[in-house]
Amino acid sequence: YVETTAQTANFAPWDRLNIRAWPASHSKKLARIANDRTVYVERCIIKSGADWCKIRRGWKYGWVNGRFLKAGPYDFSKPHPWF
């Protein structure tokens, strides 16, 4: 469990990050979110060598790859000091 806020990051400013139903790249897309947006990170898991985090922003919620989230100098694709 993480229970913190983070920023969407590490993708092109004109692109959108897919929010998925399950922690997998082939999972159904539920919504999309812009770059540099604050989201609430509920929890993160390691699945198939990638960290996936369950996020929420308003009515949008679901799973995103941790490499597209940033909290301070850390992204969520590797161990974090608060894990």
Side-chain angles (χ1 to χ4, degrees):
Y1 287 86
V2 178
E3 298 181 355
T4 190
T5 57
Q7 297 291 119
T8 56
N10 303 328
F11 58 98
W14 61 85
D15 204 358
R16 298 289 183 261
L17 177 61
N18 292 320
I19 300 173
R20 299 188 177 273
W22 298 101
S25 60
H26 61 274
S27 179
K28 178 182 176 183
K29 296 176 193 173
L30 299 176
R32 295 169 51 127
I33 191 166
N35 202 355
D36 199 32
R37 298 291 191 259
T38 301
V39 296
Y40 180 77
V41 181
E42 182 181 311
R43 63 188 174 122
C44 294
I45 62 170
I46 296 175
K47 183 174 176 72
S48 302
D51 282 345
W52 286 86
C53 297
K54 189 172 185 182
I55 64 153
R56 179 174 27 117
R57 179 177 166 92
W59 62 270
K60 297 177 183 181
Y61 63 93
W63 293 89
V64 298
N65 192 298
R67 72 176 177 251
F68 300 117
L69 297 176
K70 196 165 198 138
Y74 302 99
D75 68 27
F76 287 73
S77 66
K78 51 191 165 282
H80 318 289
W82 53 87
F83 278 11

